[in-house]
Amino acid sequence: MGSYQADKLFSSNPAQAKALLGGVIDHGDRALNSLRQTVGILRLGDADPKYPQPMIADIPELVEGCRASIPSLELDLEDSFTELDSAVQLSSYRVVQEALSNILRHAPESSATVTVRRERDSISVDVTNIADRGTPATDGQSLGISGMRERVTLLGGTLLAGPNDNGWTVKAVIPTAGQIIG
């Protein structure tokens, strides 16, 4: 949209212009957050101790923080993951974080289950919501799923995301020996 068209839209339809501008700002914020997350992965050995990256052990706190908005939120966190590479742990945490964020954004007040398990040579992260009972807060920009997929693929893993019988499922499989593929 050119400058003239933007000026015309601002004067003829300020509500639409405001909504479009809000979308652009939201899109920019999401892009910056995604870039910050990617840079965080790439700084494997140089993490600033004043700003530690979240790990799998931090997922219970994340889930607890969402319980006010997701009435029935269950967590199944199996095993200890402390010896895993920080990039694998951070990616697992970020998948849960983004999936919960998507539930809050698109299916508020639904029930959800977060499962993080160690498989033979991988970490399985599964976030499922059931029976959306609320109205979506926003349509979003569809960057969350692609960001999760990029993060997981970067470590040699896979991500599936899509509708289930009564809601939505995000399932990531991240190799425990995951290394950034460049």
Side-chain angles (χ1 to χ4, degrees):
M1 178 180 292
S3 175
Y4 173 75
Q5 291 172 323
D7 289 341
K8 187 175 175 182
L9 182 61
F10 274 110
S11 60
S12 67
N13 193 340
Q16 183 183 8
K18 183 179 179 181
L20 288 172
L21 185 58
V24 168
I25 291 169
D26 185 49
H27 182 73
D29 286 344
R30 289 174 188 241
L32 283 173
N33 285 336
S34 180
L35 181 60
R36 285 184 190 112
Q37 291 173 4
T38 301
V39 169
I41 284 178
L42 295 176
R43 287 192 211 148
L44 296 178
D46 301 331
D48 185 341
K50 293 182 289 191
Y51 303 103
Q53 295 294 325
M55 298 293 156
I56 293 173
D58 298 311
I59 290 174
E61 183 179 345
L62 173 65
V63 167
E64 195 56 41
C66 294
R67 286 193 198 278
S69 299
I70 304 174
S72 177
L73 178 56
E74 301 297 323
L75 173 62
D76 180 4
L77 185 64
E78 183 181 278
D79 211 342
S80 171
F81 303 94
T82 55
E83 78 287 351
L84 294 179
D85 183 82
S86 62
V88 172
Q89 291 208 44
L90 176 61
S91 291
S92 299
Y93 179 92
R94 294 294 189 215
V95 167
V96 172
Q97 183 181 41
E98 183 60 35
L100 289 174
S101 176
N102 285 343
I103 291 169
L104 292 169
R105 190 176 303 117
H106 301 291
E109 300 182 28
S110 66
S111 62
T113 302
V114 175
T115 304
V116 182
R117 294 192 177 180
R118 181 190 304 263
E119 303 296 335
R120 185 176 153 153
D121 296 324
S122 62
I123 300 299
S124 173
V125 178
D126 191 335
V127 182
T128 301
N129 74 300
I130 304 296
D132 176 17
R133 295 186 302 259
T135 304
T138 176
D139 290 335
Q141 300 293 321
S142 300
L143 297 176
I145 293 172
S146 61
M148 285 187 284
R149 183 169 284 113
E150 288 170 3
R151 176 181 293 283
V152 169
T153 302
L154 189 64
L155 293 168
T158 59
L159 183 116
L160 301 172
N164 60 36
D165 291 337
N166 295 321
W168 192 269
T169 297
V170 172
K171 181 164 182 63
V173 177
I174 305 169
T176 53
Q179 295 184 6
I180 294 176
I181 297 172

